[in-house]
Amino acid sequence: MQLSSAPFLSAAAEPLYRAAVAGGRTCLEDLAERAGIDCVTAEHEVQVLAAIGLLEVSDGVIEAIAPRMPLEQVAVEHAKAADAARRLASVFADIWSEAGGRPNFVEVIADETRINAVEAKLMDDTAATVDGLCIGPVSPRKVQPGMKIPRPEVAVGFLDALARGVRARGLYGVTVLEDFEGLAAVHQCIAAGEQARVFAQVPLNLMVFDDKRALITVPGQEGARRSAIVVHESGLLDCLVGLFDIFWQMGVPLSAESQVVDALGGPGPEEQQLLSYLAAGLTDEAIARDLGVSARTVGRRIARLEEVLGAHSRFQLAVQASRRDWI
């Protein structure tokens, strides 16, 4: 770490300390000249460095001190300050909770600008995993008067998180597959490394960051697009993590690949995908959009599978496919 990157030192501290180490015992004027800074700035920085223990000043003579012990002590003090700040945060959270009957492990945010900032911060702070449930695009029937609904797009900072090695899993509702822009955004995430699945009944919009924070978004009131609930580590967060895992297991993997049917030897990969989509409750239109074919083609393939398995309905088709371990 460079000295100038420390929060308690200015950019002038590093050249000043380097000059002191290289030049040995010296006076303020000579030290400032070697460091290339003015005497007023040098005097202030000498005082700061001396307070930390990196310089020793005696009778106008300045001498550098080995840094390890002084900076280790600084690290200890900062750790104590951080612990004190966390304790203070807990106290203030209790005050907030007691004043309004609010639980201190949740925060409700109604302002769209602040929601966007919180989303970006949570994504930037994510170190290992981000898991999400996405209902999909809002139906036009549910749009309130005056509400502005943006088109589906990749969450801010999500692709950057994937690029730095964060593992991502996303479970999407079927309306994503029925919306061209929504599906394009999902395919962009898959191409960047996200594991994506689809399920007919995704219950809420949820993102879980490192299993330490969660963000739930719900429809807003009085024309607002949405409100957000931030959930911190708590029993509620544990429930949300478990909820995601349950729905993830029920989802069907999303794939952009299509392969030829091998009806005689059993289902090919595309037919297995088709059967999985049917078992998950997807409509013909949603299946067709993901497979890149028409809904009529999907209908014909389903009819062909029913014929092969001797099924007279889609329910019977699912039962027969399950018995044969096709899904």
Side-chain angles (χ1 to χ4, degrees):
M1 180 185 73
Q2 294 182 337
L3 287 176
S4 58
S5 67
F8 48 88
L9 297 176
S10 73
E14 181 175 345
L16 194 69
Y17 184 75
R18 285 184 182 276
V21 171
R25 293 166 58 87
T26 186
C27 65
L28 178 63
E29 291 76 11
D30 289 343
L31 181 61
E33 183 178 357
R34 287 201 300 268
I37 58 178
D38 64 85
C39 284
V40 175
T41 302
E43 183 178 11
H44 172 74
E45 293 302 324
V46 165
Q47 292 174 358
V48 173
L49 291 170
I52 295 172
L54 291 173
L55 294 179
E56 184 177 272
V57 182
S58 177
D59 296 329
V61 177
I62 302 168
E63 183 178 8
I65 303 298
R68 182 171 297 276
M69 289 296 292
L71 289 182
E72 284 183 352
Q73 182 59 37
V74 170
V76 170
E77 295 301 324
H78 276 263
K80 291 180 179 178
D83 288 339
R86 281 189 286 269
R87 290 193 297 270
L88 187 60
S90 178
V91 170
F92 274 73
D94 289 342
I95 293 172
W96 171 265
S97 177
E98 292 169 2
R102 312 174 183 91
N104 59 18
F105 55 84
V106 298
E107 300 176 53
V108 180
I109 307 171
D111 178 72
E112 182 68 22
T113 300
R114 187 167 172 234
I115 292 174
N116 291 334
V118 169
E119 279 184 314
K121 182 67 166 59
L122 289 170
M123 195 70 74
D124 288 344
D125 290 345
T126 300
T129 62
V130 56
D131 296 325
L133 301 178
C134 178
I135 295 174
V138 177
S139 168
R141 298 189 304 273
K142 297 181 180 180
V143 177
Q144 301 176 16
M147 185 186 300
K148 295 181 179 180
I149 303 298
R151 298 306 304 154
E153 60 184 4
V154 180
V156 174
F158 182 70
L159 297 180
D160 291 336
L162 292 177
R164 66 175 181 265
V166 171
R167 179 181 62 83
R169 296 181 297 173
L171 181 66
Y172 298 91
V174 294
T175 57
V176 170
L177 303 184
E178 297 169 352
D179 183 276
F180 178 80
E181 292 177 333
L183 184 58
V186 172
H187 283 170
Q188 185 179 2
C189 294
I190 294 174
E194 180 189 50
Q195 299 178 55
R197 295 186 180 184
V198 64
F199 186 69
Q201 301 296 329
V202 175
L204 76 166
N205 291 314
L206 165 71
M207 296 191 78
V208 180
F209 305 89
D210 288 335
D211 289 349
K212 295 181 178 179
R213 301 285 189 275
L215 182 71
I216 303 171
T217 54
V218 297
Q221 299 179 347
E222 299 179 358
R225 179 167 77 91
R226 59 179 179 164
S227 296
I229 303 171
V230 180
V231 182
H232 300 275
E233 290 183 281
S234 60
L236 176 58
L237 179 65
D238 294 340
C239 290
L240 293 174
V241 172
L243 179 70
F244 172 85
D245 288 336
I246 290 171
F247 278 93
W248 177 255
Q249 294 301 322
M250 293 190 293
V252 176
L254 277 171
S255 172
E257 299 179 357
S258 298
Q259 301 188 26
V260 179
V261 179
D262 182 12
L264 295 178
E270 186 172 298
E271 279 58 51
Q272 286 184 318
Q273 186 76 13
L274 174 58
L275 289 166
S276 296
Y277 282 159
L278 288 173
L282 272 66
T283 65
D284 289 6
E285 290 75 14
I287 296 171
R289 186 174 293 278
D290 187 61
L291 296 181
V293 299
S294 67
R296 183 174 297 179
T297 298
V298 170
R300 285 199 300 267
R301 291 179 180 176
I302 293 173
R304 175 57 178 160
L305 287 170
E306 289 176 342
E307 180 182 348
V308 170
L309 294 180
H312 301 289
S313 68
R314 295 191 178 191
F315 176 76
Q316 290 182 0
L317 175 60
V319 171
Q320 293 291 349
S322 178
R323 287 176 176 174
R324 292 171 182 261
D325 292 327
W326 284 12
I327 54 176

